[in-house]
Amino acid sequence: MAPCLWRVCSDAEGDFIAAVRAVVGPDVLIAASYDLHGNVSQRIVDNLDIFSTYRTAPHIDVPDTMRRAVTMLVRALRSGQRPALVWAPVPVLLPGERTSTQDEPARSFYTQLQASEDPTGIWDASFQVGYVWADEPRATACAVITGTDRAAMEKAASALAQNYWDIRAEFVFGTKTGSIEECVDWAVASASGPVVLAESGDNPTGGGWVTAPKCWRH
């Protein structure tokens, strides 16, 4: 089925990736690199072979993530191995202002991803914080593992998911926050400027672009 034909999309990426899979068939490898604030679904996992996501927020490792995905794709083509994905959703959804990898506990949490990888069975360990402002059932955090040893992959995904769940209450805002009245008072009293008052739920100040949950065919 063609994606998003005059209907509301609740999983635009899943529709797109499934459409690509339908065109190229089951034998062609598909690799993707993701923003860690992206939302994953079973449909996405079922139609990808290789997955890697940013490990920094703010995102300073975009080229590195792209290279990881491409390197795994080349490895699979040269070795003849067929990697797969395992994922473990976590029922936690936090905004980017509370999950910056410059702050704890996200900083230490993301440093363990590479340590979860194994040269033989686990090719990549990724973790999605998710996108809190997307009004979609699939909006959630999750661990996503690419590899060839399913037992090891499931163990790694489960460990990362449990770790994130265990530290969920430790994530705090990295910026100063308060009510509208409090923020205005702070701005007026500030001895320096300019002062920016930002609503984190607003896409531009929340770190994103307009992401309306609809797509149309013109």
Side-chain angles (χ1 to χ4, degrees):
M1 181 175 66
C4 302
L5 300 183
W6 299 102
R7 63 183 176 84
V8 175
C9 291
S10 62
D11 186 3
E13 293 94 338
D15 285 345
F16 172 71
I17 293 169
V20 172
R21 174 60 71 193
V23 170
V24 302
D27 298 327
V28 174
L29 292 166
I30 303 177
S33 58
Y34 254 72
D35 183 326
L36 64 84
H37 294 114
N39 295 319
V40 178
S41 67
Q42 188 65 54
R43 195 174 193 196
I44 291 171
V45 171
D46 288 345
N47 285 286
L48 289 177
D49 303 289
I50 293 166
F51 184 103
S52 191
T53 199
Y54 304 163
R55 293 175 177 175
T56 61
H59 309 312
I60 59 174
D61 65 332
V62 176
D64 294 334
T65 305
M66 177 189 67
R67 280 190 286 267
R68 285 198 305 272
V70 172
T71 298
M72 287 189 285
L73 180 59
V74 172
R75 174 182 177 180
L77 292 171
R78 288 179 173 174
S79 68
Q81 293 179 289
R82 181 82 186 219
L85 304 186
V86 165
W87 76 310
V90 187
V92 175
L93 195 57
L94 297 170
E97 296 86 353
R98 290 176 61 182
T99 52
S100 171
T101 57
Q102 294 179 340
D103 304 322
E104 295 295 349
R107 182 174 182 176
S108 294
F109 177 82
Y110 269 87
T111 59
Q112 69 177 314
L113 292 180
Q114 188 171 2
S116 301
E117 297 169 355
D118 179 272
T120 54
I122 298 177
W123 295 15
D124 182 275
S126 292
F127 195 88
Q128 301 292 114
V129 172
Y131 186 57
V132 68
W133 307 119
D135 186 15
E136 301 165 341
R138 66 190 175 109
T140 189
C142 66
V144 184
I145 307 295
T146 301
T148 53
D149 185 337
R150 190 167 187 86
M153 293 161 62
E154 291 176 349
K155 183 178 180 180
S158 178
L160 288 172
Q162 185 64 56
N163 186 195
Y164 194 75
W165 173 260
D166 291 341
I167 63 175
R168 67 191 186 282
E170 299 177 30
F171 291 92
V172 296
F173 284 100
T175 55
K176 191 173 183 178
T177 61
S179 67
I180 294 176
E181 291 78 9
E182 288 172 329
C183 290
V184 171
D185 288 343
W186 293 333
V188 172
S190 177
S192 61
V195 175
V196 177
L197 302 183
E199 164 56 59
S200 63
D202 180 50
N203 265 312
T205 54
W209 300 97
V210 175
T211 53
K214 296 181 181 179
C215 52
W216 310 97
R217 184 179 69 175
H218 297 285

